Amino acid sequence: MKMYSDYHVHTYYSDDSTYLMEDVIKDAITKGMDEICFTDHVDYGIKKDWNEGPVEYLYGQPQVNVDYPKYFKEIESLRKKYPEIIIRQGMEFGVQVHTIPRYQKLYERYDFDFIILSIHQVNNQEFWTQDYQKGKSQQEYMEGYYQEMLNVIKKYKNYSVLGHLDLMTRYDEIGNYPFEKVKPIITKILKIVIQDGKGIEINTSSRRYGLKDSTPSRDILKLYKELGGKIITIGSDSHKSEQLGAYIDEAKELLKELGFGFYYTFEKMKPIFHQL
């Protein structure tokens, strides 16, 4: 029996979504999903925790992390209310090297099924606002992004998969940076991921952003397989109802095309494989 799951889902606990957690579950059941994992945003360095004072705004968006006690309490309540679907509790950690100690403390404080490690900022500069790219050549910001990722995963190990590994392509206004130029550093990153028993995700939001390739790219997925990588999750990166579960089947077909036999879900930070 084929598993239908979505392992990158944002709700109103993320500052860029108004999607109610219970509505996510209702929609997931309607769409025939077997399992879902909540992965709301935590971005230390640029955002405060909910109890650290007045909320700041950037380009109209509130800059605040998950309200952790309410988050886990609601997940527990929904698990009891909707036993017909498996509900996993995760988060998306937007880690930077200088914020690692805060994530270590947060990870130790709560029980997680799954953690996406993403690089959303470098030196507290956002990609989506172009603040990070400003004043840099394409080579500088592309290589700087991957260097931050490499530096982070050398030091931080409390995660399950690397999220949208080539995220910078989404915000690269120049576009078409040759894969061969970043292949050496991506190879280093993937070797550490594999050695540490971690994985990567296919993030299907590449379709709604109109990108020409998957996220991560086919080149990265092929390289991951060549290096012996096996653990891959699939997530929509949804923030609203119409995005939930989008293009999951398409991502499975891509994995099969590239020679992968399985994709993964997680329970208590342990990977569980499912046949494609």
Side-chain angles (χ1 to χ4, degrees):
M1 187 174 175
K2 300 294 184 183
M3 165 71 75
Y4 181 21
S5 61
D6 192 337
Y7 258 65
H8 196 142
V9 177
H10 296 285
T11 75
Y12 71 125
Y13 286 99
S14 288
D15 55 14
D16 57 356
S17 174
T18 58
Y19 200 0
L20 297 179
M21 194 173 263
E22 185 167 12
D23 287 348
V24 173
I25 297 301
K26 289 178 179 177
D27 288 343
I29 292 169
T30 300
K31 291 170 189 274
M33 289 188 190
D34 304 293
E35 185 168 327
I36 198 157
C37 185
F38 292 114
T39 55
D40 281 294
H41 286 298
V42 179
D43 288 281
Y44 287 125
I46 64 154
K47 296 175 187 174
K48 295 178 179 178
D49 275 342
W50 56 277
N51 58 353
E52 289 184 326
V55 174
E56 297 174 3
Y57 285 79
L58 178 65
Y59 295 93
Q61 287 192 194
Q63 300 294 287
V64 65
N65 291 318
V66 172
D67 187 335
Y68 313 116
K70 288 184 179 179
Y71 183 75
F72 290 108
K73 186 177 180 180
E74 184 165 0
I75 291 174
E76 183 181 1
S77 172
L78 290 170
R79 282 172 166 168
K80 292 174 182 175
K81 189 171 181 180
Y82 297 97
E84 62 267 45
I85 186 169
I86 297 169
I87 303 170
R88 302 297 188 200
Q89 54 191 30
M91 283 183 183
E92 183 177 12
F93 286 0
V95 186
Q96 302 175 72
V97 172
H98 70 279
T99 62
I100 286 174
R102 295 206 68 177
Y103 287 102
Q104 288 173 331
K105 289 178 183 176
L106 177 59
Y107 180 81
E108 290 164 4
R109 200 182 312 154
Y110 297 101
D111 292 325
F112 291 98
D113 288 307
F114 180 69
I115 297 290
I116 300 172
L117 191 163
S118 297
I119 305 300
H120 288 147
Q121 306 88 20
V122 178
N123 296 326
N124 289 347
Q125 293 177 313
E126 293 274 27
F127 307 149
W128 66 277
T129 62
Q130 299 294 312
D131 287 343
Y132 170 67
Q133 296 92 309
K134 201 177 299 176
K136 298 181 182 72
S137 68
Q138 187 181 34
Q139 180 179 355
E140 286 172 334
Y141 63 69
M142 290 296 289
E143 293 183 1
Y145 165 74
Y146 287 114
Q147 187 62 52
E148 180 76 6
M149 186 181 297
L150 180 60
N151 293 344
V152 167
I153 65 168
K154 281 180 177 178
K155 297 181 178 181
Y156 187 72
K157 307 296 180 179
N158 295 325
Y159 72 97
S160 309
V161 299
L162 285 185
H164 39 51
L165 200 150
D166 53 358
L167 174 68
M168 186 53 67
T169 59
R170 186 194 298 176
Y171 302 114
D172 184 2
E173 294 184 343
I174 297 173
N176 299 320
Y177 193 71
F179 173 67
E180 292 302 319
K181 289 189 176 182
V182 288
K183 184 177 179 180
I185 192 167
I186 292 176
T187 300
K188 289 179 184 178
I189 290 166
L190 292 177
K191 283 182 175 179
I192 293 173
V193 167
I194 294 165
Q195 179 183 314
D196 289 344
K198 310 300 183 184
I200 63 175
E201 74 157 357
I202 289 188
N203 187 303
T204 67
S205 70
S206 58
R207 294 283 273 109
R208 73 171 184 264
Y209 282 107
L211 302 181
K212 294 178 181 178
D213 205 343
S214 59
T215 298
S217 67
R218 287 170 178 259
D219 285 329
I220 292 175
L221 291 169
K222 288 176 186 175
L223 177 60
Y224 182 59
K225 189 173 188 300
E226 287 168 11
L227 293 171
K230 293 187 169 98
I231 298 172
I232 296 185
T233 59
I234 304 173
S236 65
D237 206 345
S238 57
H239 292 72
K240 55 179 91 170
S241 178
E242 59 267 30
Q243 298 168 353
L244 184 68
Y247 309 110
I248 298 286
D249 288 340
E250 196 175 286
K252 289 180 181 179
E253 290 304 314
L254 172 60
L255 287 176
K256 284 196 278 189
E257 179 189 320
L258 296 177
F260 289 92
F262 305 94
Y263 80 104
Y264 289 73
T265 58
F266 277 74
E267 181 178 10
K268 299 186 184 303
M269 300 297 290
K270 302 293 184 186
I272 302 166
F273 68 89
H274 305 275
Q275 193 160 11
L276 285 163

